[in-house]
Amino acid sequence: MKYNPAEKLQDYLVFGEFGEVNPSITDSSTFTFLSFDKMQELFDHEIEGCFLYSRHLNPINDFLARALALLENTEAAQVTASGMAAISCALLQILNSGDEIVSSRTIYGGTYALFKNFFPKIGIETKFVNTCNLDSVEKAITNKTKVLYFESISNPLLEVADIAALRRIADAYNLKIVVDNTFSPMLITPSNYGADVVIHSLTKFINGASDCVAGCICSSKDFINSLRNVNSGAVMLLGPTMDSLRAASVLKNMHTLHIRLKQHSKNALIMATELENLGLKTFYPGLKSHPQHDLMESLLNPGFGFGGMLAFDVKNEEVSHQLLTRMQEELVGYFAVSLGFYKTLFSSPGTSTSSEIPKEEQIAMGMSGSLVRMSVGLDNDIYKSVGRVEKCLREMKVI
Ligand SMILES: *Cc1c(COP(=O)(O)O)cnc(C)c1O
């Protein structure tokens, strides 16, 4: 099911109090009530255009949340202070002590650590499986399982999830599907294939400036309201509130998301193709050699490419570490974690963003220590960067 988020966002106009083209930045933690009855009503349920307290909601956060709901084709959205806050709040809202998660084993290291080390403290257990193998997903489900969790494009191996097939399993066992779509905003709209809750780390492509940490939860109006409930809402009660100044800034950066994504995708496809041509094992869903290339093509909203993330294996762990600093010296980009920046960013996931995952499990999921992850930047001339990477690889005798 195709969707055009860029077109939806194009028709999303926000007007400030005085008709400003950028809405005013909410500079208040609290809001006046015009009557006692209105106050009571607001504590009971949401009233369109009325605000209570900024941890609950405020106008600028609401403007950003509405843009994110359009992006993800959901009824509503909630912004949070980080991607991890979005993940933890969404799951804590759904789960009770004693419940279980069936999760993809190739997920962001922070999420993995949350499920593996932290959630058991409150009685929530997780079974990690290869979500590309639907049989193993089904086998892991018990009568305690409440949630299927995965990333639409996984970190760092770039496996593509068959969301519709996972939905069929979820329906059979009455599970909620929570999807982290951080690697593929605009490219894939998980709600169109049956995701109940879609999470983003806004820190990455959506904000795109590497100047803040932020997150969001996109879902039905009912679920978003439950997160904000003054008596039982995870966001309201745990309080990971996005600051108003930041919400305004993220909203402005979102205006160029479609243009940035097209350039990230264009450059990443060239970089991946050239690396593969040099004989390196390259992971990029836009490559014909990628095991889920056809699946990815069937999921993509047309026009934004296959995304800006790729990984390649240089076969030697020590060499992979040296390569990171060499590529930085050659001005390919920055040796840094994170993604979605205008400059190319690269890191070795085994020792950084996925280091929370034990070594033997990394090996089991096909993640070698010599893997290099790259978030390809917006370079005007990507061939120049390709040449520089090639120079480093030759120098280090990888090719
Ligand atoms: C970065 C990241 C997160 C965590 O987001 P923060 O904004 O850093 O809290 C979660 N999932 C994925 C896929 C990420 O890349």
Side-chain angles (χ1 to χ4, degrees):
M1 206 193 305
K2 304 300 178 190
Y3 181 68
N4 192 331
E7 218 165 86
K8 296 286 173 188
L9 285 165
Q10 189 169 330
D11 290 343
Y12 176 57
L13 299 185
V14 292
F15 295 97
E17 277 169 289
F18 304 99
E20 305 96 305
V21 293
N22 291 308
S24 319
I25 299 171
T26 307
D27 200 24
S28 294
S29 55
T30 191
F31 297 81
T32 49
F33 304 113
L34 289 179
S35 71
F36 188 82
D37 291 350
K38 260 283 177 283
M39 181 192 79
Q40 276 200 317
E41 210 181 323
L42 253 175
F43 268 86
D44 283 346
H45 60 85
E46 191 189 340
I47 306 170
E48 184 84 21
C50 288
F51 298 93
L52 168 66
Y53 184 64
S54 275
R55 196 176 74 248
H56 182 252
L57 191 62
N58 70 33
I60 188 67
N61 287 19
D62 193 32
F63 278 129
L64 175 59
R66 284 166 193 269
L68 291 160
L70 282 173
L71 172 71
E72 286 303 347
N73 198 21
T74 55
E75 287 173 4
Q78 171 70 38
V79 296
T80 56
S82 71
M84 285 310 298
I87 293 166
S88 54
C89 285
L91 289 168
L92 288 172
Q93 193 65 41
I94 299 169
L95 298 166
N96 291 309
S97 178
D99 290 344
E100 288 178 5
I101 303 168
V102 169
S103 167
S104 163
R105 59 187 187 175
T106 53
I107 51 172
Y108 177 70
T111 313
Y112 182 90
L114 175 74
F115 293 178
K116 174 124 181 169
N117 307 329
F118 198 95
F119 276 177
K121 293 205 297 185
I122 48 174
I124 297 168
E125 298 291 337
T126 302
K127 292 208 175 106
F128 295 97
V129 297
N130 176 2
T131 37
C132 292
N133 179 342
L134 299 175
D135 277 348
S136 68
V137 173
E138 208 159 350
K139 282 204 186 90
I141 296 170
T142 71
N143 58 3
K144 293 179 179 167
T145 310
K146 294 283 151 45
V147 166
L148 262 187
Y149 184 93
F150 54 90
E151 297 173 0
S152 29
I153 302 186
S154 79
N155 181 20
L157 288 170
L158 306 157
E159 290 169 347
V160 182
D162 189 343
I163 309 172
L166 291 161
R167 177 73 257 172
R168 287 192 287 277
I169 295 179
D171 280 342
Y173 296 92
N174 197 21
L175 312 179
K176 286 236 183 303
I177 289 192
V178 181
V179 180
D180 181 335
N181 199 29
T182 299
F183 275 31
S184 45
M186 266 188 195
L187 315 184
I188 297 175
T189 308
S191 68
N192 287 359
Y193 303 98
D196 297 292
V197 179
V198 181
I199 303 283
H200 276 286
S201 166
L202 301 177
T203 314
K204 318 295 170 53
F205 287 102
I206 292 180
N207 184 57
S210 289
D211 59 354
C212 73
V213 171
C216 74
I217 304 165
C218 304
S219 188
S220 65
K221 191 109 192 76
D222 278 352
F223 187 70
I224 299 303
N225 281 341
S226 74
L227 290 166
R228 291 174 186 161
N229 187 292
V230 292
N231 293 307
S232 58
V235 168
M236 184 62 182
L237 301 177
L238 299 173
T241 313
M242 184 185 285
D243 182 74
S244 299
L245 273 168
R246 190 50 73 187
S249 171
V250 174
L251 181 59
K252 283 179 280 189
N253 288 342
M254 244 185 106
H255 302 329
T256 56
L257 179 61
H258 58 299
I259 303 171
R260 287 186 280 114
L261 277 174
K262 286 177 196 174
Q263 187 72 7
H264 282 302
S265 292
K266 183 174 159 224
N267 285 350
L269 180 60
I270 293 170
M271 181 67 82
T273 305
E274 295 298 321
L275 288 169
E276 188 169 62
N277 287 343
L278 291 171
L280 295 175
K281 187 163 174 52
T282 308
F283 302 82
Y284 183 67
L287 293 175
K288 294 256 185 320
S289 59
H290 190 281
Q292 290 106 30
H293 173 76
D294 292 342
L295 171 63
M296 175 86 170
E297 208 151 49
S298 76
L299 291 173
L300 283 177
N301 294 318
F304 308 103
F306 287 84
M309 297 303 296
L310 61 85
F312 57 96
D313 199 332
V314 296
K315 291 202 186 109
N316 177 316
E317 193 162 335
E318 188 51 41
V319 166
S320 78
H321 298 167
Q322 290 163 13
L323 180 67
L324 299 169
T325 44
R326 272 303 290 138
M327 289 197 298
Q328 182 163 252
E329 286 158 13
E330 286 295 327
L331 310 180
V332 175
Y334 295 111
F335 169 19
V337 297
S338 201
L339 43 131
F341 196 35
Y342 83 105
K343 279 285 185 211
T344 296
L345 302 177
F346 34 84
S347 59
S348 64
T351 39
S352 61
T353 47
S354 298
S355 58
E356 296 89 342
I357 303 173
K359 261 279 178 292
E360 60 279 8
E361 287 182 45
Q362 290 187 21
I363 292 161
M365 63 180 69
M367 208 180 99
S368 84
S370 49
L371 198 71
V372 174
R373 185 185 84 173
M374 191 176 255
S375 164
V376 181
L378 302 174
D379 305 34
N380 184 49
D381 178 7
I382 193 65
Y383 285 101
K384 192 168 172 181
S385 282
V386 169
R388 288 166 166 174
V389 174
E390 187 178 342
K391 180 182 173 215
C392 297
L393 291 168
R394 285 199 192 289
E395 205 183 273
M396 303 180 74
K397 306 216 176 343
V398 177
I399 52 170

